[in-house]
Amino acid sequence: MTRTVGPQPGETETNQTPAEVADAQAKATKVGTSDIRELLTRNLRQSGIYVAFFVVVVLFAILTGGTSLSPGNITNIVLQYSYVLVLAIGMVIVIIAGHIDLSVGSVVALTGATSAVLVIRHGAPWWVGMLAAIAVGLLVGVWQGFWVAYVGIPAFIVTLAGMLIFRGLTLQVLDNISLSPFTPQYQKVSSGFLNGLLGGNGYDAFTLLIGALAVAGYAVSGFRTRVARIRYKQPVESFPLFVARVVVVAAVVMYFAWQLAHARGLPIVLIILGVLITVYGMITKRSVFGRQVYAIGGNLAAATLSGVKVRMVNFWIFVNMGFLAAVAGIIYSSRSNGAQPAAGQNFELDAIAAAFIGGAAVTGGVGTVAGAMVGGLLVAVLSNGMQLQGVDQSIQSVIKGLILLLAVAFDVYNKRRAGSSR
């Protein structure tokens, strides 16, 4: 049995004439029009998460009488769950490669504590605290990457040990006490907004402009990918369906931007998150490193035989996870306006849940940054909606656990079905 790993080639030039490209596009359009069912089921897990997300949003909008979609609440969701989404970006890359990281919650606590000691206790500038936190995160990544990649200890064991080690170091750094408050500049990372840069009567025009640019970027990227797939004679949806998909995404993004524009403007943390999503989306889809990550998770033996430097790739996967955990640590400490010894508890579970719910496979080789973001947002909207409904915290944990279990069970079911069809 073979498995296709990683994204397909994107922008490579071919020797086809314009007439041949047009003919291939016509054939692809015809196939997409005549078989919509194939389009919807080509990647059932990935398309299913978007449907589930839509259903959850609509459900809580009805149950809360529209409160869940109010400008203030949407802004609150962005601020409250941004650090989990940052962790999910790194976690999905770790999972695609066939590993797991149980230490990110402790790393969030340690990096936040490092910033707090420098900025609050010793009066260092806010940016020094942030750079120190990132440096600590990178050192943590180097430490864990060495044990996983070059010593050969399973990531589960290495990061489980790291969870204990870095939590203990957090207690040592903070002397087992909380530190607060941060300087106003540091707090702006998670609580600051860009508002009024381009004016607007009752709304922030700059936020709407950023939303429009995001939609334009999505449309152009999708069209270029479509053209590239046609050149390689790969199946694509019909052009009307492609346009419909872009229109739906544009409507969602612009509604989201409109709500933010009528609240406090564009959150700074959302800009950080948007940059990370864009950069890591390109890395996983269009870089050599990204394809090597998919290859390692899809078929380790084949990747090794094809010349992939497995040890080096695994090493940098964990260095990257340490970096993103540090970014999440800065965001979380900024939002909480301090550092606590118990910070980051269960963050690793939220990040893992976001990756799996978003379509990552337990066995590796499958997953996307976009899927992990939707999975994280689904959990965020679900948690926020249950809080607005006054659901007990214990019931919330039960529901989120069941959703994670069902997501993994669905992955197993799809693999069995794919195996039986061959």
Side-chain angles (χ1 to χ4, degrees), residues 156-208:
F156 179 88
I157 301 301
V158 172
T159 58
L160 179 61
M163 179 175 66
L164 302 175
I165 293 171
F166 305 132
R167 182 63 62 182
L169 289 176
T170 301
L171 296 175
Q172 290 290 325
V173 169
L174 293 176
D175 292 330
N176 207 20
I177 60 173
S178 299
L179 291 178
S180 64
F182 277 109
T183 60
Q185 295 91 335
Y186 194 98
Q187 295 178 46
K188 286 183 179 180
V189 172
S190 66
S191 61
F193 295 83
L194 297 181
N195 197 334
L197 295 180
L198 298 179
N201 186 15
Y203 61 89
D204 181 43
F206 179 74
T207 301
L208 296 179

Side-chain angles (χ1 to χ4, degrees), residues 98-223:
H99 304 299
I100 202 72
D101 193 336
L102 301 177
S103 67
V104 293
S106 296
V107 179
V108 165
L110 179 59
T111 53
T114 301
S115 287
V117 168
L118 290 175
V119 176
I120 299 174
R121 183 177 292 172
H122 297 292
W126 60 272
W127 55 269
V128 172
M130 292 182 182
L131 289 178
I134 291 175
V136 169
L138 291 174
L139 287 174
V140 166
V142 169
W143 168 264
Q144 299 197 129
F146 168 77
W147 290 104
V148 173
Y150 294 103
V151 179
I153 301 176
F156 179 88
I157 301 301
V158 172
T159 58
L160 179 61
M163 179 175 66
L164 302 175
I165 293 171
F166 305 132
R167 182 63 62 182
L169 289 176
T170 301
L171 296 175
Q172 290 290 325
V173 169
L174 293 176
D175 292 330
N176 207 20
I177 60 173
S178 299
L179 291 178
S180 64
F182 277 109
T183 60
Q185 295 91 335
Y186 194 98
Q187 295 178 46
K188 286 183 179 180
V189 172
S190 66
S191 61
F193 295 83
L194 297 181
N195 197 334
L197 295 180
L198 298 179
N201 186 15
Y203 61 89
D204 181 43
F206 179 74
T207 301
L208 296 179
L209 175 62
I210 295 298
L213 291 176
V215 170
Y218 175 81
V220 171
S221 176
F223 182 76

Side-chain angles (χ1 to χ4, degrees), residues 7 89 275-287 369-370:
I89 294 174
V275 171
L276 291 176
I277 292 172
T278 302
V279 170
Y280 281 94
M282 294 179 64
I283 289 175
T284 54
K285 289 182 178 180
R286 302 185 180 183
S287 72
V369 171

